């Protein structure tokens, strides 16, 4: 049996050639990043960089290395008009003026997992650029406008999961450095008995979220009438991947710690691309069970939102809690 490669899949896609180039460059760079992540201490990839990013978070060396690689590779692609990253204060327009696409990324999702050798990822979102010389305002497009979204998961296997709005497919990185189609037509089950949330924040959540999670914890004897399992990897890529593989729901809700920040996760680098993938796989991606993440009109490049996504019937149950 001949296994299809990502290159062959991209070549056959019914999308513009420019988008094919962007996806090819993003996938190639993720394969390179996989090598650096796997090298760990041997690749000088562990530990703090000593720098603080725009989110006021201490950057790890790997945050900086992966951000630099993606930025350079994408800005060198003639189809790219500009990039924005969770790790950079401002958007970076390309020096060429022929690009059609804006690429937004979280170069290394789950940074706290790096030094403990647990799963991390890269998340990428692609928009059409309204102009070949984009400014920040041109990036302020609702997630519904995305023309592609992907993530790479650097776990026991390195995988890349992609949508261009025609379903969701998963590719596994071979020992030859080639992405091979291994998961066709990925679909999120409608129902689940598994949830993901950082329980240590319980006391900070709103009353309805506390009530909903409390009901899950009561199991078969409670109002939900079934036992739920819980998982939390602390890397959204890995939690979303589990949901795409076997169903489940993921929450990072609004909480009281910093009332001016409506959640921890970033709309443009995490919420939108993951919402596109989850919706394309038949799941729901919302802020509160009802409001679709993809319909939010962004106000800031680094805007944060609450996230509730995954198996459709369980997101509906969350909405009615
Ligand atoms: P970093 O990319 O800054 O490491 O954050 C990871 C993340 O944004 C997301 O991937 C996780 O689901 C979430 O944060 C974990 O947050 P807690 O550390 O609060 O559990």
């Amino acid at each position: 049996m001949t296994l299809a490669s990502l290159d062959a899949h991209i070549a056959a896609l019914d999308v513009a050639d420019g988008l094919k180039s962007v996806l090819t460059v993003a996938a190639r760079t993720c394969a390179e990043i996989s090598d650096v992540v796997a090298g760990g201490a041997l690749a000088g990839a562990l530990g703090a960089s000593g720098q603080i990013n725009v989110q006021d978070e201490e950057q790890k060396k790997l945050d900086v290395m992966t951000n630099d690689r993606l930025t350079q590779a994408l800005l060198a692609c003639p189809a790219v008009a500009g990039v924005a990253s969770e790790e950079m204060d401002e958007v970076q327009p390309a020096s060429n003026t022929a690009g059609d696409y804006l690429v937004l990324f979280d170069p290394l999702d789950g940074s706290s997992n790096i030094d403990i050798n647990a799963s991390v990822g890269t998340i990428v979102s692609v928009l059409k650029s309204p102009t070949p010389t984009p400014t920040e305002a041109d990036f302020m497009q609702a997630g519904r406008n995305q023309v592609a979204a992907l993530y790479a998961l650097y776990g026991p296997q390195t995988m890349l999961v992609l949508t261009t709005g025609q379903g969701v497919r998963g590719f596994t990185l071979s020992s030859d450095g080639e992405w091979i189609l291994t998961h066709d037509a990925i679909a999120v089950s409608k129902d689940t008995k598994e949830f993901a949330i950082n329980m240590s924040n319980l006391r900070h959540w709103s009353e309805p979220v506390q009530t909903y999670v409390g009901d899950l914890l009561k199991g078969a004897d409670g109002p939900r009438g079934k036992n739920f399992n819980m998982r939390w990897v602390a890397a959204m890529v890995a939690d979303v991947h589990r949901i795409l593989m076997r169903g489940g729901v993921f929450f990072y809700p609004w909480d009281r710690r910093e009332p001016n920040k409506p959640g921890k996760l970033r709309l443009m680098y995490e919420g939108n691309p993951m919402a596109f993938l989850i919706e394309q796989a038949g799941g729901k991606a919302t802020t509160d069970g009802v409001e679709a993440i993809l319909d939010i009109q962004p106000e800031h490049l680094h805007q944060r939102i609450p996230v509730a996504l995954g198996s459709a019937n369980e997101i509906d149950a969350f909405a009615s809690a």
Side-chain angles (χ1 to χ4, degrees):
M1 183 176 63
T2 310
L3 296 169
S5 70
L6 177 62
D7 287 345
H9 173 70
I10 291 173
L13 281 174
D14 184 19
V15 300
D17 286 348
L19 180 55
K20 292 180 183 180
S21 316
V22 174
L23 296 176
T24 302
V25 169
R28 194 187 309 134
T29 311
C30 288
E32 290 170 15
I33 291 173
S34 175
D35 277 349
V36 180
V37 171
L42 301 176
L46 305 189
S49 72
Q51 298 169 43
I52 303 290
N53 71 7
V54 61
Q55 322 280 344
D56 240 358
E57 297 160 345
E58 189 190 61
Q59 287 176 308
K60 303 278 188 183
K61 280 186 197 157
L62 211 48
D63 288 321
V64 177
M65 288 161 82
T66 54
N67 186 63
D68 289 351
R69 277 192 190 231
L70 272 165
T71 304
Q72 282 163 19
L74 288 164
L75 288 180
C77 171
V80 173
V83 302
S85 163
E86 185 186 303
E87 299 297 336
M88 298 192 292
D89 297 15
E90 294 172 358
V91 304
Q92 308 276 313
S95 51
N96 82 78
T97 54
D100 279 330
Y101 295 96
L102 304 175
V103 188
L104 302 94
F105 49 86
D106 178 354
L108 201 87
D109 176 64
S111 308
S112 69
N113 284 353
I114 297 167
D115 293 351
I116 60 161
N117 195 9
S119 293
V120 291
T122 295
I123 313 174
V124 178
S125 158
V126 187
L127 295 163
K128 277 280 273 179
S129 182
T131 158
T133 51
T135 63
E136 183 171 320
D138 297 308
F139 286 74
M140 297 294 98
Q141 302 182 39
R144 236 6 117 196
N145 285 6
Q146 289 172 106
V147 291
L150 66 87
Y151 65 75
L153 171 61
Y154 314 111
Q157 305 110 47
T158 294
M159 285 194 65
L160 186 147
V161 176
L162 167 71
T163 186
T164 54
Q166 301 157 46
V168 181
R169 287 175 186 80
F171 302 81
T172 303
L173 192 63
S174 74
S175 52
D176 301 332
E178 202 177 359
W179 297 105
I180 305 293
L181 178 66
T182 47
H183 296 69
D184 207 3
I186 295 173
V188 180
S189 59
K190 297 278 174 232
D191 292 294
T192 185
K193 290 181 175 180
E194 196 161 69
F195 68 102
I197 195 163
N198 183 338
M199 285 294 297
S200 69
N201 295 326
L202 184 145
R203 70 192 181 285
H204 303 300
W205 300 332
S206 67
E207 290 305 321
V209 175
Q210 293 197 28
T211 303
Y212 167 76
V213 174
D215 287 350
L216 301 186
L217 296 178
K218 287 178 191 141
D221 301 331
R224 298 301 306 278
K226 58 181 181 180
N227 293 323
F228 282 82
N229 183 33
M230 198 205 86
R231 288 285 184 270
W232 186 249
V233 186
M236 189 189 194
V237 168
D239 280 314
V240 166
H241 189 71
R242 186 186 58 255
I243 290 169
L244 288 170
M245 294 296 108
R246 69 178 189 205
V249 279
F250 169 96
F251 304 101
Y252 212 115
W254 173 90
D255 69 46
R256 293 191 184 88
R257 282 173 297 175
E258 294 179 87
N260 57 332
K261 289 184 183 163
K264 176 178 182 189
L265 303 182
R266 295 75 170 179
L267 172 61
M268 309 297 278
Y269 315 108
E270 293 166 318
N272 277 339
M274 291 312 201
F276 192 17
L277 285 156
I278 288 285
E279 282 201 7
Q280 281 292 313
K284 288 193 174 179
T286 71
T287 55
D288 56 0
V290 178
E291 180 191 41
I293 290 174
L294 293 179
D295 290 332
I296 298 173
Q297 176 56 46
E299 290 168 8
H300 317 285
L301 196 56
H302 298 289
Q303 184 172 341
R304 294 170 189 252
I305 49 156
V307 171
L309 59 76
S311 295
N313 291 343
E314 194 53 41
I315 293 297
D316 289 345
F318 173 68
S320 49

